């Protein structure tokens, strides 16, 4: 087991390069199931969720090679085992993304139900209802989803809620279904668009990308492609908040600023001086204490739930009061008690946290609980006076590549220590 030890108080300075997006890599890896040829994917991040995805695909009969240039050559064209086992699914909910591709290509799938997770119940009803509408027969027993079909057919899908992975699952399934599928109330997250771009390169016929209505005309086969995964807007946002909370000045390269408008808007409200270029963002806090920002999470293009915890850390030391309202997940405030242990003044009222900024936080021993909550604790530790230790670092390794190396490059005093 590893923990992070942080000595806070140093304003971050310098530049880093954002890794490829975790939430784009996972669906694109699973889309390899649809193709009759291998895919060559570049700009893939080295993360434990990516290793879990590769292990799951290998368990089903895929082969992959890590190329010298860092890209991954993946061949899932002939699966031999149409089961996603509990042991792997339980560690990564995105495993549900095997369902649409397996049903579309092999007409059969058995997938462990992902179950709840730390941030809420996170059901998969939207995925299952939509696939049933497309001609799948689905039974849930003994903790598994058993799905089969005589052949998926296009359908009109109206999602009651906006769901990223449900949209991705249905786009993939519809790409090989017979006829036309229309998805209304589709998620418009940049990671959904990245998957759509990759599928189109593979030969899929999809229109409406970047809008809430997607129209997919099924094709008979999809082929192999080379594709570069988009940058990780959440990783980039996390480093920018780290610079803002420490009063620092950094440049984050290899990003698409357009995909980060909501987060950039909030950073400007904190008092940060921001300059964007085509592929980079410069943030200069000029040593100032941040102004507080009110946040309400919502589907893209609004403020992302995956950046809520990081801004809570920033609001904790801001000059004034603020509210953060979480509308996507029902239990995404596990960082609140940990930040409070560092001296933050936070009050949970339903799905809103009222924060009265304090002058400074003090270092403490903390426990990471989920991916983004853990990131907020790192940011708080970087800004705090004294030493902070964060246990259960494996939560961070699911979504941040080389986290302590990147922070060290920015001048932070941070070490990974075995215990
Ligand atoms: C994805 C992201 C995650 C991000 C989230 C919201 C991946 C791998 N993960 O998660 O990082 O925090 O989007 O932007 O891309 N819901 C249902 N029924 C369903 C599906 C979802 O009720 O069948 C609900 C969920 O409980 C939640 C809301 O819809 O309240 C949105 O969830 P969803 O967009 O599906 O999140 P994920 O795709 O799991």
């Amino acid at each position: 087991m590893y923990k992070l030890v942080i000595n806070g108080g140093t304003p971050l300075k310098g530049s880093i390069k954002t890794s490829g997006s975790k939430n784009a890599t996972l669906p694109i890896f699973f889309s390899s199931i649809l193709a009759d040829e291998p895919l060559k994917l570049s700009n893939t991040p080295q993360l434990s969720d990516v290793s879990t995805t590769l292990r799951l695909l290998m368990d089903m009969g895929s082969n992959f090679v890590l190329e010298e240039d860092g890209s991954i050559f993946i061949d899932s064209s002939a699966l031999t085992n149409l089961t996603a086992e509990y042991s792997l699914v339980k560690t990564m909910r995105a495993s549900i993304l095997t369902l649409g591709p397996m049903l579309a290509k092999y007409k059969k799938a058995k997938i462990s139900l992902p179950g709840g997770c730390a941030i809420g119940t996170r059901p998969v009803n939207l995925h299952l209802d939509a696939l049933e509408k497309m001609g799948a027969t689905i039974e849930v027993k003994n903790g598994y989803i058993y799905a089969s079909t005589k052949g998926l057919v296009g359908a009109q899908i109206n999602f009651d809620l906006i769901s990223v992975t449900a949209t991705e699952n249905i786009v993939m399934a519809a790409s090989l279904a017979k006829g036309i599928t229309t998805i209304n109330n589709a998620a418009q997250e940049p990671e959904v668009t990245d998957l759509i771009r990759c599928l189109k390169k593979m030969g899929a016929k999809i229109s409406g990308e970047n809008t809430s209505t997607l129209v997919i005309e099924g094709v008979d086969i999809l082929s192999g492609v080379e594709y570069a995964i988009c940058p990780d807007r959440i990783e980039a946002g996390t480093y920018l908040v780290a610079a803002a909370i420490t009063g620092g000045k950094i440049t984050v390269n290899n990003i698409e600023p357009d995909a980060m408008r909501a987060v950039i808007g909030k950073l400007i409200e904190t008092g940060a001086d921001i300059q964007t270029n085509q592929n980079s963002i410069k943030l200069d806090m000029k040593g100032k204490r941040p102004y507080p920002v009110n946040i309400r999470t919502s589907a893209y293009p609004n403020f992302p739930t995956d950046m809520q915890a990081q801004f809570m850390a920033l609001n904790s030391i801001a000059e004034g009061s603020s509210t953060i309202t979480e509308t996507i997940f029902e239990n995404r405030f596990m960082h609140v008690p940990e930040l409070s242990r560092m001296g933050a003044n936070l009050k949970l009222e339903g799905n809103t946290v009222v924060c009265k900024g304090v002058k400074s936080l003090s270092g403490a021993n903390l426990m990471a609980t989920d991916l983004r909550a853990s990131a907020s604790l790192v940011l708080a530790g970087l800004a705090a006076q004294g030493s902070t230790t964060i246990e259960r670092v494996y939560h961070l390794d699911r979504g941040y590549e080389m986290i302590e190396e990147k922070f060290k490059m920015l001048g932070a005093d941070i070490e990974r220590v075995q215990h």
Side-chain angles (χ1 to χ4, degrees):
M1 294 281 266
Y2 288 92
K3 62 181 180 185
L4 288 178
V5 180
I6 303 167
N7 284 305
T10 312
L12 299 188
K13 286 206 168 66
S15 65
I16 50 151
K17 181 172 170 264
T18 310
S19 301
S21 159
K22 168 178 92 70
N23 285 354
T25 301
L26 307 185
I28 289 175
F29 271 33
F30 288 124
S31 78
S32 66
I33 297 173
L34 296 164
D36 281 356
E37 293 165 339
L39 307 189
K40 187 178 172 189
L41 302 172
S42 56
N43 201 34
T44 59
Q46 282 186 27
L47 300 170
S48 62
D49 270 11
V50 175
S51 321
T52 305
T53 302
L54 288 172
R55 246 185 300 145
L56 183 55
L57 285 167
M58 268 172 67
D59 199 49
M60 294 171 157
S62 300
N63 293 302
F64 76 91
V65 179
L66 184 59
E67 307 263 301
E68 260 176 33
D69 62 3
S71 58
I72 295 184
F73 186 84
I74 180 152
D75 185 355
S76 309
S77 59
L79 296 190
T80 47
N81 169 27
L82 302 178
T83 305
E85 295 289 354
Y86 177 66
S87 54
L88 290 166
V89 174
K90 73 171 183 203
T91 64
M92 194 188 68
R93 290 182 45 82
S95 311
I96 189 70
L97 290 170
T98 52
L99 179 59
M102 274 204 281
L103 258 184
K105 179 120 180 244
Y106 297 95
K107 302 186 169 58
K108 225 177 122 183
K110 177 185 167 192
I111 295 170
S112 170
L113 265 179
C117 72
I119 64 173
T121 50
R122 297 179 85 175
V124 290
N125 58 309
L126 297 174
H127 303 239
L128 304 189
D129 293 351
L131 288 167
E132 278 181 335
K133 260 195 137 179
M134 294 173 73
T137 304
I138 293 179
E139 203 186 346
V140 177
K141 59 177 182 192
N142 308 118
Y144 276 84
I145 300 162
Y146 291 83
S148 61
T149 179
K150 292 199 171 96
L152 292 180
V153 287
Q156 170 99 15
I157 308 295
N158 303 314
F159 283 130
D160 292 338
L161 279 175
I162 299 177
S163 163
V164 173
T165 45
T167 301
E168 292 167 345
N169 233 343
I170 302 312
V171 167
M172 289 193 279
S175 293
L176 282 187
K178 225 178 179 51
I180 293 178
T181 299
T182 305
I183 305 177
N184 290 315
N185 207 21
Q188 301 172 56
E189 268 66 3
E191 297 77 21
V192 176
T193 302
D194 211 38
L195 169 68
I196 291 173
R197 288 195 184 135
C198 181
L199 288 168
K200 282 170 88 165
K201 221 174 161 191
M202 288 157 72
K205 291 192 176 158
I206 305 170
S207 60
E209 69 189 66
N210 290 321
T211 76
S212 62
T213 304
L214 298 171
V215 180
I216 305 119
E217 186 184 341
V219 296
D220 291 335
I221 52 163
L222 292 173
S223 40
V225 286
E226 288 189 17
Y227 192 78
I229 307 284
C230 70
D232 198 313
R233 66 193 166 104
I234 305 299
E235 187 203 18
T238 301
Y239 285 99
L240 290 169
V241 177
I245 198 175
T246 58
K249 179 182 177 180
I250 69 166
T251 304
V252 178
N253 296 311
N254 184 38
I255 53 155
E256 287 167 10
D258 253 7
M260 296 183 62
R261 273 195 226 131
V263 167
I264 292 172
K266 287 293 166 190
L267 284 167
I268 292 170
E269 274 184 49
T270 70
D273 187 1
I274 300 252
Q275 278 175 39
T276 58
N277 292 319
Q278 211 184 344
N279 301 108
S280 70
I281 300 182
K282 280 188 177 138
L283 179 145
D284 189 353
M285 202 64 190
K286 300 189 171 146
K288 284 180 303 188
R289 187 175 167 196
Y291 297 123
V293 286
N294 293 327
I295 281 170
R296 186 180 178 84
T297 65
S298 180
Y300 189 84
N302 297 314
F303 190 91
T305 172
D306 285 352
M307 283 301 300
Q308 176 257 104
Q310 298 88 319
F311 272 86
M312 180 109 47
L314 180 136
N315 276 346
S316 296
I317 58 142
E319 209 173 338
S321 299
S322 56
T323 57
I324 293 190
T325 302
E326 171 61 52
T327 76
I328 309 282
F329 294 112
E330 72 264 34
N331 186 26
R332 204 168 200 183
F333 284 136
M334 271 147 346
H335 39 291
V336 169
E338 297 300 288
L339 292 171
S340 302
R341 295 182 60 241
M342 302 176 80
N345 184 342
L346 305 170
K347 204 158 131 220
L348 183 55
E349 292 174 359
N351 66 341
T352 297
V353 171
V354 181
C355 175
K356 286 193 180 136
V358 294
K359 246 192 160 163
S360 65
L361 298 174
S362 52
N365 295 331
L366 307 172
M367 197 69 88
T369 48
D370 71 70
L371 174 54
R372 305 304 169 187
S374 319
S376 82
L377 303 185
V378 174
L379 304 195
L382 290 169
Q385 290 180 350
S387 170
T388 295
T389 59
I390 303 174
E391 291 183 31
R392 301 194 182 160
V393 175
Y394 56 85
H395 287 293
L396 283 162
D397 294 334
R398 292 188 51 202
Y400 291 93
E401 185 174 53
M402 304 192 311
I403 185 157
E404 69 275 20
E405 277 87 350
K406 287 194 184 180
F407 275 124
K408 270 188 200 162
M409 276 185 233
L410 298 173
D413 182 348
I414 180 170
E415 293 293 340
R416 183 179 293 243
V417 178
Q418 202 158 13
H419 69 107

